[in-house]
Amino acid sequence: MRTYHCIPLLIWTYMFHTVDTILLQEKPNSYLSSKKIVGLTKDDGKMLRRTKRGWMWNQFFLLEEYTGTDTQYVGKLHTDQDKGDGNLKYILTGDGAGSLFVIDENTGDIHAAKKLDREEKSLYILRAKAIDRKTGRQVEPESEFIIKIHDINDNEPKFTKDLYTASVPEMSGVGTSVIQVTATDADDANYGNSAKVVYSILQGQPYFSVDPESGIIKTALPDMSRENREQYQVVIQAKDMGGQMGGLSGTTTVNITLTDVNNNPPRFPQSTYQFNSPESVPLGTHLGRIKANDPDVGENAEMEYRIAEGDGADMFDVITDKDTQEGIITVKQNLDFENQMLYTLRVDASNTHPDPRFLHLGPFKDTAVVKISVEDIDEPPVFSKVSYLIEVDEDVKEGSIIGQVTAYDPDARNNLIKYSVDRHTDMDRIFGIHSENGSIFTLKALDRESSPWHNITVTATEINNPKQSSHIPVFIRILDINDHAPEFAMYYETFVCENAKPGQLIQTVSVMDKDDPPRGHKFYFEPVPEFTLNPNFTIVDNKDNTAGIMTRKDGYSRNKMSTYLLPILIFDNDYPIQSSTGTLTIRVCACDNQGNMQSCTAEALILSAGLSTGALVAILLCVLILLILVVLFAALKRQRKKEPLIISKDDVRDNIVTYNDEGGGEEDTQAFDIGTLRNPEAREDTKLRRDVMPETIFQIRRTVPLWENIDVQDFIHRRLKENDADPSAPPYDSLATYAYEGNDSIADSLSSLESLTADCNQDYDYLSDWGPRFKKLADMYGGDDSDRD
């Protein structure tokens, strides 16, 4: 086998002899010399003779990234059948044939037409043919060969991420792993050191370090504190060629955060806190907030406050605000300035999630002193109890004291207190209270059966400061007294059959009692003393608060007696004993043989007397018609007597005439003659109604003489009373007006009262000179007499 290569190719062939040998072992039929070994077959088992192969070439190698101006020579194909006369034609097929690799069909020289990149493809498999130009037949069988691309260091290491983020707990020891970074090199790892990457740290020392081979970043300083510095930025470099000079490199950034651990106890910024509180604050009031500082964050900074000791541990409480991690001082019990003015508390603040690794640093809590001053205010009266319960018998007399409430002024116990009952809770005014000592007494009689409980409110007020008052509920329970007699529980409709036999039960009666004895009811039944022995019926006490009515004789007759009245004496067993008599009405009825009632009404008796039902109905109708006629006749007669004389639209009862006359003032006595009003003789002696025909001529009533110096207002009131009582006065819908006004009025009086006593008519012609505003009056009063008429 003959091989034609250039000198550089021989050098590369020598360098990679070992690699080539491996590849030749994988494909011996492609890369061995022209001798071919043929193995045995199973059919004949004969040894085949080894024949000589005609192809002569070696494996081809090519450098990547060739930058020369000419095409890169790869190698030469040649066969023993080639005599050099140009009869053979070489043809190349396979990966990149014709595009990447071209062959001279006459000489068999192979060239690379383009620059190759091993990272894209490192190996090309091609096939070669030698064809006789004349016959077009292959002079040698087609064979494969390989073109390998040798690597050069043309790729720098690249990290899988441009930016890494990692965290590590603070206070970690030296060598604690943080994160691993990885860089890859696209160069051939089997060829030299082009792909051998070494890691180093460019930024982040002395806090962190990196393993040069694995790329694991570790802590380099002990006990790094998050509170001092939380964020770190580390720059890591990856360099190929084993980190030697001339190697390519790449970098990445790692942001490292120190996470918090509970390594700091809470601390109060001050040792003492001071708060003030009025003594009247309600329970649960927030007096103030305290806060201990903890440099930790999250749950490591969560803390809990509690009162450790102090004279106000029972009076106050502290709660933790989970949002702000503050301790809130609240009021637990009512404060009293008079009892204690100053309280001192010791409050602890401790972490709720301590880390056992750092307990050796000390107790994770702190203590502060809280002083609370109670301020005095004017407080309302305080009752001795939260509520009062008073029990009283219902037969207590009016005005009796049934109980007492007491209150005092907490500011000064000698201050006077006034008591009163809130009438909104005692609308019927059944109870009263003595304002000086708070004794409650009755104003009315009590009745347990109508109202067994009374709930009133008593108010206590400071006399010196009525604005300060307090209220207390008072529950009054009315105790029962046996003051009601038992009576029948219902109305009984009892009957007895005419054919009843002696000893037959006809009715069972029960009773009720409004009283409520503590031992329960017990009733007894007896005949009344006047009729201890009843010949018709027997009363049997059943001993269960009921009684049975039994017949005592054989048969009853409706004709002789249709109804029996049986009085029964009922009494209870309470003290004092109350009794009553209940009368049971027993009707006699007709019954069948089984004792079922058939008839016991009055109709049956009437029928037995010979009066029919139709006759009874006719009599009743006649009586009803007669009554209706009498009523109609009386109504018509009365209406004829009171028929009005005036029946028209101008009926005075349907019209109200108003005279709006105004005098000249209260001192004006010249507008009308006051003597006319005061003179009893001036009134008409007889005032008869004009709209109704008089039925009777009334007696003339003479008014009581009035003195000249009588007050006008009193005079008018008397005249009104007389007018209201006078039956001959104007109709009910007329308006009688009495008015009086004095003098000192600028305008003269327009009253027409004085004109009643004048002998001649007044002249109103001057109204025409007053202008257009008085034109209407001038037309009404200033015209001729005929016009006025």
Side-chain angles (χ1 to χ4, degrees):
M1 180 180 67
R2 294 182 298 218
T3 307
Y4 300 92
H5 299 284
C6 60
I7 295 176
L9 185 59
L10 293 175
I11 298 174
W12 284 109
T13 302
Y14 174 77
M15 293 176 62
F16 294 98
H17 175 71
T18 304
V19 179
D20 298 341
T21 304
I22 297 174
L23 294 175
L24 289 173
Q25 290 177 357
E26 295 176 354
K27 293 191 176 183
N29 59 331
S30 302
Y31 307 115
L32 293 178
S33 60
S34 59
K35 303 300 181 181
K36 183 175 182 182
I37 300 175
V38 180
L40 296 176
T41 63
K42 295 182 180 180
D43 297 336
D44 50 15
K46 296 179 180 180
M47 179 69 69
L48 297 178
R49 182 176 295 177
R50 175 179 172 184
T51 60
K52 182 179 179 181
R53 182 179 178 85
W55 287 105
M56 293 183 297
W57 63 71
N58 286 329
Q59 181 173 297
F60 298 137
F61 299 94
L62 190 64
L63 289 177
E64 66 172 337
E65 304 294 342
Y66 175 73
T67 58
T69 56
D70 299 332
T71 59
Q72 188 176 3
Y73 180 73
V74 178
K76 183 180 181 63
L77 297 180
H78 185 71
T79 179
D80 295 341
Q81 301 297 329
D82 189 358
K83 304 300 183 179
D85 54 4
N87 291 331
L88 295 182
K89 177 182 179 181
Y90 294 95
I91 298 176
L92 188 65
T93 59
D95 295 339
S99 58
L100 295 178
F101 303 101
V102 294
I103 188 171
D104 189 337
E105 61 181 15
N106 295 321
T107 63
D109 293 330
I110 302 174
H111 292 82
K114 295 181 181 179
K115 182 171 64 174
L116 301 178
D117 188 356
R118 190 201 66 84
E119 286 69 36
E120 294 181 0
K121 192 169 184 178
S122 62
L123 186 131
Y124 296 87
I125 301 175
L126 295 96
R127 290 176 295 276
K129 296 179 184 180
I131 300 174
D132 190 336
R133 293 179 183 272
K134 295 179 180 180
T135 62
R137 295 181 179 180
Q138 294 184 8
V139 297
E140 291 284 351
E142 183 180 58
S143 297
E144 287 184 349
F145 66 94
I146 294 176
I147 299 178
K148 294 186 63 176
I149 309 301
H150 279 301
D151 182 45
I152 64 173
N153 190 17
D154 59 343
N155 291 282
E156 73 278 1
K158 292 185 178 180
F159 285 92
T160 56
K161 293 182 181 179
D162 294 333
L163 179 65
Y164 289 85
T165 301
S167 62
V168 63
E170 64 173 334
M171 308 299 292
S172 297
V174 177
T176 302
S177 297
V178 180
I179 192 175
Q180 182 179 17
V181 296
T182 303
T184 59
D185 196 321
D187 293 328
D188 191 357
N190 297 320
Y191 172 65
N193 293 329
S194 298
K196 186 177 181 180
V197 178
V198 175
Y199 300 95
S200 62
I201 184 169
L202 300 182
Q203 177 182 328
Q205 294 175 331
Y207 307 104
F208 299 95
S209 63
V210 62
D211 187 278
E213 295 182 359
S214 63
I216 297 176
I217 301 175
K218 301 178 181 180
T219 57
L221 285 180
D223 300 333
M224 286 189 295
S225 176
R226 184 200 63 84
E227 288 74 28
N228 295 333
R229 182 177 177 183
E230 184 176 3
Q231 298 288 338
Y232 294 86
Q233 190 176 74
V234 179
V235 178
I236 303 297
Q237 181 190 62
K239 190 174 183 180
D240 59 12
M241 297 298 291
Q244 299 177 3
M245 186 178 296
L248 303 178
S249 64
T251 60
T252 187
T253 301
V254 183
N255 290 331
I256 301 176
T257 302
L258 294 184
T259 58
D260 185 60
V261 297
N262 193 3
N263 62 327
N264 294 283
R267 290 289 181 263
F268 284 103
Q270 59 191 72
S271 60
T272 304
Y273 294 85
Q274 180 73 37
F275 297 105
N276 298 327
S277 172
E279 61 177 337
S280 62
V281 294
L283 301 182
T285 301
H286 296 182
L287 300 182
R289 292 172 175 256
I290 59 176
K291 184 177 182 180
N293 298 326
D294 192 334
D296 297 324
V297 294
E299 68 173 14
N300 296 322
E302 293 181 0
M303 61 190 72
E304 182 180 8
Y305 298 86
R306 66 181 185 89
I307 297 178
E309 59 183 16
D311 54 1
D314 297 333
M315 304 297 296
F316 302 94
D317 195 6
V318 58
I319 58 178
T320 304
D321 189 337
K322 297 299 182 181
D323 297 330
T324 62
Q325 298 301 318
E326 294 176 318
I328 305 174
I329 308 298
T330 62
V331 179
K332 189 176 180 180
Q333 295 187 13
N334 292 322
L335 304 179
D336 190 356
F337 174 83
E338 288 70 27
N339 291 336
Q340 188 168 349
M341 296 179 291
L342 179 65
Y343 294 90
T344 302
L345 308 174
R346 293 180 63 85
V347 180
D348 289 344
S350 59
N351 284 134
T352 56
H353 302 89
D355 194 332
R357 297 176 298 173
F358 305 103
L359 292 179
H360 65 278
L361 298 178
F364 279 73
K365 69 176 182 179
D366 196 15
T367 304
V369 177
V370 178
K371 295 184 178 181
I372 301 175
S373 300
V374 180
E375 299 175 350
D376 186 27
I377 62 171
D378 190 4
E379 299 176 273
V382 178
F383 285 92
S384 59
K385 297 181 180 180
V386 180
S387 63
Y388 290 85
L389 174 62
I390 300 175
E391 294 183 345
V392 58
D393 294 333
E394 62 176 328
D395 62 345
V396 67
K397 295 181 180 180
E398 297 181 10
S400 300
I401 295 177
I402 62 175
Q404 185 180 16
V405 297
T406 57
Y408 64 91
D409 187 354
D411 300 315
R413 291 185 177 270
N414 296 327
N415 285 353
L416 297 179
I417 303 297
K418 177 183 178 181
Y419 301 91
S420 61
V421 175
D422 186 355
R423 289 306 171 187
H424 292 91
T425 61
D426 185 25
M427 302 295 292
D428 297 332
R429 295 183 174 269
I430 300 177
F431 302 97
I433 189 171
H434 291 292
S435 60
E436 298 84 5
N437 57 13
S439 298
I440 300 175
F441 57 89
T442 59
L443 296 174
K444 295 181 181 179
L446 305 178
D447 186 9
R448 187 202 67 84
E449 286 71 29
S450 61
S451 181
W453 284 90
H454 295 273
N455 301 329
I456 64 175
T457 299
V458 175
T459 303
T461 307
E462 294 183 13
I463 295 180
N464 296 333
N465 186 7
K467 294 182 178 180
Q468 295 295 338
S469 62
S470 57
H471 309 277
I472 196 73
V474 179
F475 307 104
I476 303 175
R477 180 184 179 185
I478 310 302
L479 302 179
D480 184 47
I481 297 297
N482 192 26
D483 56 349
H484 289 84
E487 56 187 12
F488 283 142
M490 57 180 294
Y491 175 75
Y492 293 98
E493 295 182 356
T494 308
F495 70 93
V496 61
C497 294
E498 288 183 310
N499 55 358
K501 301 299 181 180
Q504 184 176 343
L505 178 65
I506 62 173
Q507 184 68 58
T508 300
V509 296
S510 61
V511 296
M512 60 168 290
D513 193 340
K514 295 181 180 179
D515 295 321
D516 187 16
R519 295 172 296 181
H521 290 289
K522 181 62 179 177
F523 303 111
Y524 301 94
F525 303 86
E526 293 180 358
V528 295
E530 294 83 359
F531 302 98
T532 56
L533 184 60
N534 191 308
N536 299 310
F537 303 98
T538 302
I539 302 172
V540 179
D541 192 343
N542 296 329
K543 306 301 182 181
D544 59 353
N545 295 337
T546 62
I549 310 301
M550 312 290 290
T551 58
R552 196 165 187 174
K553 66 178 184 178
D554 187 7
Y556 297 84
S557 175
R558 285 184 295 168
N559 295 330
K560 294 181 179 180
M561 181 70 70
S562 62
T563 303
Y564 291 91
L565 300 178
L566 178 62
I568 302 175
L569 179 62
I570 310 168
F571 57 92
D572 55 24
N573 66 337
D574 205 358
Y575 181 83
I577 295 177
Q578 299 289 339
S579 63
S580 66
T581 300
T583 302
L584 189 65
T585 302
I586 304 174
R587 294 184 298 167
V588 180
C589 300
C591 303
D592 55 13
N593 294 331
Q594 285 76 26
N596 299 320
M597 181 183 66
Q598 292 182 342
S599 176
C600 56
T601 59
E603 178 182 351
L605 296 176
I606 294 173
L607 290 174
S608 63
L611 187 59
S612 64
T613 304
L616 181 61
V617 173
I619 292 174
L620 292 176
L621 288 176
C622 291
V623 173
L624 181 62
I625 293 173
L626 183 61
L627 289 176
I628 293 174
L629 292 175
V630 172
V631 171
L632 290 176
F633 180 76
L636 291 174
K637 184 176 180 181
R638 182 176 180 83
Q639 186 165 357
R640 283 198 302 270
K641 287 183 178 181
K642 292 187 177 182
E643 183 177 359
L645 296 176
I646 302 174
I647 304 176
S648 67
K649 297 182 179 179
D650 298 331
D651 192 345
V652 293
R653 288 175 299 178
D654 298 332
N655 295 277
I656 299 177
V657 181
T658 302
Y659 299 93
N660 294 322
D661 298 335
E662 185 175 358
E666 293 183 356
E667 302 300 329
D668 184 9
T669 59
Q670 299 178 359
F672 59 89
D673 187 3
I674 191 64
T676 304
L677 290 176
R678 294 183 176 180
N679 185 9
E681 303 298 332
R683 66 186 298 271
E684 297 181 6
D685 294 75
T686 303
K687 294 182 179 179
L688 301 180
R689 297 186 62 169
R690 295 172 295 171
D691 58 338
V692 179
M693 182 181 295
E695 295 181 358
T696 306
I697 302 300
F698 294 94
Q699 189 78 20
I700 304 278
R701 292 189 299 105
R702 308 299 296 181
T703 59
V704 180
L706 301 175
W707 300 100
E708 282 296 319
N709 59 352
I710 193 171
D711 183 64
V712 175
Q713 182 178 3
D714 185 41
F715 167 76
I716 292 176
H717 284 320
R718 291 191 182 185
R719 283 290 186 262
L720 287 174
K721 290 181 180 179
E722 292 178 4
N723 189 77
D724 292 339
D726 191 357
S728 61
Y732 65 93
D733 55 357
S734 297
L735 179 65
T737 303
Y738 298 90
Y740 170 74
E741 213 174 298
N743 55 4
D744 288 343
S745 177
I746 299 176
D748 292 336
S749 175
L750 298 178
S751 174
S752 61
L753 293 177
E754 188 176 3
S755 63
L756 295 176
T757 59
D759 295 338
C760 59
N761 293 328
Q762 187 173 354
D763 185 9
Y764 295 101
D765 293 339
Y766 60 88
L767 293 175
S768 302
D769 300 332
W770 284 9
R773 294 187 178 182
F774 295 90
K775 184 177 184 303
K776 186 67 176 177
L777 289 176
D779 294 340
M780 293 176 61
Y781 295 95
D784 296 335
D785 293 342
S786 61
D787 295 336
R788 288 194 297 271
D789 293 339

